[in-house]
């Protein structure tokens, strides 16, 4: 009895002592600190940034993501005592919350009337504080989005600052408000409180003045708080391991058509075994070429290189021998990992020769696999959770080569932080979960296929099914019928061809399709909506941004645009001579590359400093939706007027929607340049096109007089039109000197 009492007294004393420490450290009242201690100990809460919220000058509105039943208790313990908490009905009545409700002022939430109350504006104008709990939805529905509008109005009327708060990890608690299939439960996950600096609505809008909507400025700031909950300093390997911890090491995470499915544990074991072999033949920080298709082997290789502190240089084997040799030399690649079976099946003997011509040797996965000993497998099975080398998120992780659609490819160097940031920016904008299955047919040497189609699922627990070629138009719909994916990535060209060969039920499992690299044609969008009940959400990116810059969502989307800027990114538009309603896009954000390597300075990182010029001409509407007018290089200057070649293609596509078209500019002695249409439409007629252009209200300069008919328009491995080859083809056909 005495021992029990002594133990109890010791526990109470420890509780009181920790409460005193927390009171001093965070500036809490003692009662707040006392009730905060159980949360602090149970969930090892990273809470340093809560000081930003506590020190915010009133009037202030705390906008809190309500993911679980503990957020109200946490915030009542941590926010200033004069804060008025607007609670949902369940939190306002819950018996267990009674001690915490005594810590501050609370009122019950009424979704229909609470935010139009003048009382809240008066509270704020009297130097008050409000805590508002919003539903945890990446893509809020109309009713939830109405709350953002209401908060915006109140903040503007009271000139109040906004402080977004997101409790990272709360959605995985047993008291989570998210279904368990989407957020697997853990009794004691580590929590981290993400708090952003206080800003008024006017200040939020001023950060991206080209996105003028007040409500969207608040919505984007809230998404930033979700994004900021990710620790970008942990690196890709650790982020993938954390995902394994969240969804379970036995969770099937990758699968291909040959090797079958691998769980997280098996993936990490295989990656560690390969990483040991890579360590033996390469130096830390060395660029190691990866010449592999979309299959389990490429993910194992990437993970092994990450674990071993090497840089994965993704070789585009569709670019041709000359480009491959140039890539090997530009990035100073000495070793390239490949597969004999793949090289033989894809008939890539010339690419292997090109690699060797560039000065690299081949390391074959088949040889590595045969040489693995039982002891190595056992060691990897025991130590799979730990990387082989210390991880530094600021160092290079991947080298990608630009598509070269308009010129010589360059090597783009991306850090762990760039890639992880972009994956989590996308996760803060698009609703995905471990309940999803992602079918990726885009090659990993393309930034879209790497970040969106490979890294994003690995760091979020989404099961990934890899298929080696996007060009198998008949097979991919059959694969989709068997795999039942809920998400697919693709380009308009690929998606349109899949739809032509697919049966009605092949893509019926899809929730949405993310499309990029080229504009989505209205016909492609209509087919997927009508036949497969799947929404195509169009996005925009560039390799230098790792790659996603903007994206529509299934709920917040606008056809014909590429969506809205991702969280934590900024943009500015520079005026372009001859274009009044659009500008040249410059970007800044945590996903922007480390820098380039170029052929004239091989192996030397030329760092990006400040803003990045994308070379794209874009227009932005009041809601922040971005419309691509074309590349700056994809404008023709005709008699002093700037004409978008992309707009020409859209005009032609409206007339002959079943065919493929590319508009290119060629020299013209009289007017500087003229537009040539390269098309697969056999019956394309210049007079018919001119007549259609007049009916559509197109300027006469936009309508090509020259039409070159071809069987196929050249494309790159990424699915984009190869404009360099297309222009050369047009010049040859017309007999015009470049």
């Amino acid at each position: 009895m005495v021992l029990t009492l002594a133990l109890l007294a010791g526990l109470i004393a420890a509780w009181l002592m920790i409460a005193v420490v927390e009171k001093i450290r965070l500036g809490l009242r003692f009662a707040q600190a006392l009730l905060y201690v159980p949360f602090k100990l149970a969930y090892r809460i990273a809470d340093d940034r809560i000081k930003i919220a506590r020190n915010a000058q009133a009037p202030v509105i705390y906008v809190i993501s309500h993911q679980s039943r503990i957020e109200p208790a946490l915030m009542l313990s941590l926010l200033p005592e004069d804060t008025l908490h607007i609670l949902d009905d369940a939190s306002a009545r819950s018996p267990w919350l009674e001690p915490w409700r005594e810590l501050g002022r609370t009122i019950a939430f009424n979704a229909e009337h609470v935010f139009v109350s003048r009382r809240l504006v008066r509270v704020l104008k009297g130097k008050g504080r409000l805590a508002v709990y919003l539903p945890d939805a990446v893509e809020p529905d109309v009713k939830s989005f109405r709350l953002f509008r209401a908060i915006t109005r109140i903040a503007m009327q009271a000139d109040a600052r906004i402080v977004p708060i997101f409790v990272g990890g709360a959605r995985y608690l047993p008291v989570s408000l998210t279904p368990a299939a989407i957020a697997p439960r853990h009794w004691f996950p580590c929590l981290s409180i993400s708090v952003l600096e206080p800003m008024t609505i006017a200040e939020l809008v001023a950060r991206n003045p080209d996105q003028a909507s007040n409500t969207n400025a608040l919505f984007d700031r809230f998404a930033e708080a979700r994004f900021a909950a990710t620790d970008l300093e942990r690196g890709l390997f650790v982020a993938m391991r954390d995902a394994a911890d969240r969804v379970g090491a036995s969770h099937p995470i990758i699968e291909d058509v040959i090797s079958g499915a691998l769980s997280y544990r098996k993936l990490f074991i295989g990656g560690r075994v390969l990483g040991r072999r890579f360590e033996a033949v390469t130096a830390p920080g060395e660029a190691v070429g990866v010449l592999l298709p979309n299959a389990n082997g490429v993910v194992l290789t990437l993970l092994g290189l990450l674990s071993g502190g090497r840089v994965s240089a993704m070789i585009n084997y569709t670019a041709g021998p000359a480009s491959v040799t140039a890539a090997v030399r530009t990035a100073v690649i000495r070793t390239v990992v490949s597969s004999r079976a793949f090289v033989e099946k894809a008939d890539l003997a010339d690419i292997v020769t090109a690699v060797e011509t560039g000065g690299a040797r081949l390391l074959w996965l088949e040889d590595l696999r045969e040489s693995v000993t039982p002891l190595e497998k056992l060691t990897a099975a025991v130590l799979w959770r730990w990387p082989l080398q210390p991880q530094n998120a600021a160092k290079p992780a991947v080298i990608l080569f630009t598509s070269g659609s308009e010129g010589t490819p360059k090597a783009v160097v991306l850090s762990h932080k760039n890639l992880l940031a972009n994956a989590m920016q996308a996760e803060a904008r698009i609703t995905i979960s471990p309940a999803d299955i992602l079918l990726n047919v885009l090659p990993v040497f393309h930034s879209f296929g790497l970040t969106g189609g490979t890294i994003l699922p690995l760091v979020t627990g989404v099961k990934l099914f890899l298929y080696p070629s996007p060009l198998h138009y008949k097979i991919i719909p059959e694969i989709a019928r068997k795999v039942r994916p809920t998400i697919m990535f693709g380009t308009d060209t690929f998606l349109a061809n899949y739809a032509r060969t697919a049966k009605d039920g092949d893509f019926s499992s899809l929730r949405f399709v993310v499309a990029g690299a080229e504009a989505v044609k209205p016909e492609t969008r209509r087919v997927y909506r009508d036949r497969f009940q799947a929404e195509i959400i169009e996005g925009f990116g560039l390799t230098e941004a790792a790659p996603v810059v903007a994206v529509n969502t299934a709920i917040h989307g606008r056809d014909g645009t590429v969506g809205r800027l991702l969280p934590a990114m900024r943009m500015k538009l520079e005026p372009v001579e001859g274009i009044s309603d659009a500008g040249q896009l410059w970007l800044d954000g945590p996903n922007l590359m480390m820098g380039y390597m170029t052929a004239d300075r091989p192996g030397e990182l030329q760092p990006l400093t400040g803003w990045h010029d994308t070379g794209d001409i874009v227009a932005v509407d009041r809601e922040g939706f971005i419309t691509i007018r074309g590349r700056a290089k994809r404008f023709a200057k005709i008699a002093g007027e700037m004409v978008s070649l992309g707009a020409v293609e859209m005009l032609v596509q409206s007339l002959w929607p079943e065919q493929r078209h590319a508009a290119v500019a060629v020299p013209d002695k009289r007017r500087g340049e003229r537009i040539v249409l390269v098309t697969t439409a056999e019956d394309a007629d210049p007079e018919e096109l001119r007549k259609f252009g007049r009916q559509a209200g197109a300027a006469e300069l936009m309508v090509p007089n020259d039409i070159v008919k071809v069987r196929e328009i050249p494309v790159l491995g990424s699915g984009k039109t190869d404009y360099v080859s297309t222009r050369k083809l047009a010049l040859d056909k017309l007999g015009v000197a470049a």
Side-chain angles (χ1 to χ4, degrees), residues 161-321:
R161 295 169 180 81
I162 300 289
V163 177
I165 301 176
F166 183 88
V167 183
R171 70 198 316 251
Y172 303 104
L173 290 165
V175 290
S176 171
L177 300 174
T178 306
I182 295 173
R185 301 299 194 249
H186 295 277
W187 280 103
F188 300 108
C190 290
L191 303 183
S192 62
I193 301 178
S194 166
V195 183
L196 299 187
E197 298 291 340
M199 296 181 79
T200 64
I201 296 295
E203 288 170 335
L204 291 177
V205 171
R207 294 186 315 153
N208 269 325
D210 294 299
Q211 297 181 253
S213 164
N214 297 325
T215 302
N216 277 328
L218 172 61
F219 175 61
D220 291 342
R221 186 66 167 170
F222 195 54
E224 277 183 50
R226 178 189 296 273
F227 165 70
T230 303
D231 184 358
L232 299 181
E233 302 300 330
R234 290 171 70 77
L236 283 172
F237 180 96
V238 180
M240 293 175 189
R241 188 197 64 198
D242 290 346
D245 291 340
R246 284 196 305 272
V247 302
S250 300
H251 177 74
I253 188 62
I254 61 169
E255 186 176 354
D256 65 16
V257 289
I258 296 170
S259 310
L262 291 178
S263 66
Y264 264 119
R265 183 183 287 105
K266 288 182 178 178
L267 173 65
F268 274 83
I269 290 170
R272 187 179 178 90
V273 169
L274 284 179
R276 276 289 182 209
R277 295 311 169 98
F278 300 149
E279 275 189 321
V281 295
T282 60
E286 181 179 332
V288 179
V290 178
L291 179 59
L292 291 166
N294 277 23
N296 291 351
V298 76
V299 182
L300 288 161
T301 300
L302 284 170
L303 193 60
L305 291 170
L306 287 172
S307 177
R310 274 57 175 174
V311 183
S312 301
M314 312 307 293
I315 305 294
N316 180 353
Y317 46 83
T318 68

Side-chain angles (χ1 to χ4, degrees), residues 582-604:
Q584 190 152 330
L585 178 66
W586 291 67
L587 293 171
D588 187 27
N591 51 318
L592 266 293
M593 65 175 178
M594 297 180 72
Y596 287 120
M597 290 179 184
T598 52
D600 59 330
R601 293 158 70 179
E604 180 185 337

Side-chain angles (χ1 to χ4, degrees), residues 36-54:
Y36 174 58
V37 166
F39 293 126
K40 177 70 176 179
L41 296 179
Y43 304 120
R44 292 87 70 207
I45 300 174
D47 55 15
D48 285 346
R49 292 189 67 83
I50 199 66
K51 294 174 186 175
I52 295 171
R54 291 189 59 81

Side-chain angles (χ1 to χ4, degrees), residues 85 122 153 160 180 224 338 416 502 514 541 577 604 669 700:
H85 295 257
R122 286 200 302 271
R153 283 198 303 271
E224 277 183 50
S338 191
H416 293 253
V514 183
E577 183 187 355
E604 180 185 337
K669 289 180 181 178
E700 190 177 334

Side-chain angles (χ1 to χ4, degrees), residues 361-382:
R361 58 172 179 159
L362 273 296
L363 192 63
W364 302 106
L365 284 181
E366 289 88 347
D367 295 347
L368 298 180
R369 195 177 299 122
E370 289 174 7
S371 65
V372 175
T373 65
L375 181 59
E376 284 178 301
K377 290 181 182 177
L378 179 61
T379 304
V382 173

